[in-house]
Amino acid sequence: MCKPPSFCLSLLLCCVALLLPCGMCSAQQLLVVHADGFFPPNEMVEGEKVRGVHIDLIQAAADKLGVSVAFRSYPWKRAMIMLQRGEADAITYMGKTPEREQFGIFVEGNLLSRTHNGFFALKEQASKITYAGDLPTLRDHTIGAIRGRAYYAEFDQAKFLQKDDGAVDEEALLKKLVTGRIDLAIGSVSRMRYVAQNLNVADKIVFLQPYAPPINNYFVFSKAKNHEQLANRFAVAMESVKRSGAYQDILKRYHVKVEDF
């Protein structure tokens, strides 16, 4: 029996759609989860909007691939469970561990940033501090830190240091330094630069060298959703963005220096 021309055309279009890669037949939408909170300059939840270097970088790579991305904020543990179960396509800001590699796809091209923790002091006080990477030289100084925050193993385990971890966030930590309640402080270099810039005190502080060993932060895809191919496609797009002027624009937007990232 002869079918109506409209039916034949619809059947033909369906067959063609099945032969096309997913990204070509319709705009692929990904659910990307991230920790709720304020983690400048990388990720900042402001009202119902999320912004930051990581977000803009992922969005730029998605635009290159013609992929639609929906960012959703959750408590960190819940976000990781969603990735593990395949309830989310990808997660931001994740460090690599053997346990996480069991359910997450880590590709070097999907490196979002490196966290450099470092000590900083007021410019007029920095000349009084002798530091070349040896923590015992700081034993006579009060070092400010954020309550409950881990920085790097050697510092975290150094019981001989005078630590003041009463600050609840980066802004409180900077205010303690500027008012002379501590001699120096420790924190993520890029994050402290961002907050200092917003508080108009960036010109008052100096970072001591060397920084602590960097921590790599990745854009990680779900193994439960079989996203190996997609992860590799994103890695290529991400590296392309990083080689472009668009990446420099993103860093400038958030007062980030390339060497701190």
Side-chain angles (χ1 to χ4, degrees):
M1 180 177 178
C2 181
K3 299 290 184 181
S6 59
F7 174 85
C8 296
L9 179 59
S10 299
L11 182 61
L12 177 61
L13 291 175
C14 288
C15 292
V16 171
L18 290 173
L19 296 175
L20 291 174
C22 179
M24 294 177 63
C25 60
S26 63
Q28 186 175 6
Q29 185 173 58
L30 301 180
L31 173 60
V32 176
V33 294
H34 60 95
D36 53 358
F38 188 67
F39 309 104
N42 297 324
E43 298 177 14
M44 297 165 280
V45 179
E46 299 173 343
E48 296 184 357
K49 184 178 180 181
V50 59
R51 55 190 291 267
V53 175
H54 291 176
I55 305 303
D56 291 5
L57 179 56
I58 292 169
Q59 187 62 65
D63 290 344
K64 277 185 171 292
L65 296 174
V67 173
S68 176
V69 177
F71 294 99
R72 295 289 182 270
S73 305
Y74 295 97
W76 179 244
K77 288 185 179 180
R78 181 181 174 188
M80 282 203 299
I81 291 173
M82 291 178 69
L83 185 80
Q84 188 171 7
R85 293 177 176 174
E87 296 170 1
D89 295 287
I91 193 171
T92 68
Y93 222 155
M94 180 176 276
K96 184 192 296 187
T97 67
E99 179 184 5
R100 291 172 179 177
E101 286 184 288
Q102 296 299 310
F103 59 86
I105 303 167
F106 290 82
V107 180
E108 286 306 310
N110 286 327
L111 179 69
L112 291 171
S113 65
R114 290 184 174 90
T115 297
H116 295 271
N117 284 309
F119 296 101
F120 56 98
L122 292 177
K123 286 184 177 179
E124 60 265 27
Q125 297 295 325
S127 60
K128 303 176 184 178
I129 300 172
T130 301
Y131 177 71
D134 190 8
L135 287 180
T137 62
L138 300 177
R139 66 169 66 245
D140 295 329
H141 300 283
T142 301
I143 305 171
I146 295 175
R147 185 181 307 137
R149 187 74 55 84
Y151 294 95
Y152 68 103
E154 186 181 359
F155 174 80
D156 296 338
Q157 297 166 11
K159 303 298 183 183
F160 57 86
L161 293 176
Q162 301 178 51
K163 302 177 186 178
D164 179 343
D165 62 352
V168 296
D169 56 24
E170 285 79 9
E171 183 173 333
L173 184 61
L174 274 168
K175 288 181 178 177
K176 293 183 76 168
L177 181 69
V178 171
T179 55
R181 295 162 60 192
I182 53 178
D183 300 320
L184 70 159
I186 186 172
S188 163
V189 176
S190 60
R191 188 176 301 175
M192 296 312 306
R193 284 195 199 279
Y194 181 89
V195 176
Q197 187 80 26
N198 285 349
L199 292 178
N200 296 315
V201 297
D203 60 339
K204 295 183 179 181
I205 64 174
V206 61
F207 288 85
L208 309 182
Q209 300 287 345
Y211 299 150
I215 301 170
N216 290 343
N217 309 305
Y218 292 89
F219 182 41
V220 181
F221 287 81
S222 172
K223 281 190 175 180
K225 302 204 75 169
N226 299 313
H227 276 334
E228 286 81 2
Q229 184 179 3
L230 182 60
N232 288 319
R233 288 175 59 210
F234 252 92
V236 172
M238 195 93 74
E239 290 179 332
S240 176
V241 172
K242 289 179 181 178
R243 292 192 299 268
S244 71
Y247 184 57
Q248 299 300 323
D249 292 339
I250 291 173
L251 297 184
K252 289 178 182 178
R253 191 176 303 148
Y254 298 101
H255 316 299
V256 173
K257 294 186 176 182
V258 176
E259 59 267 27
D260 295 341
F261 229 60

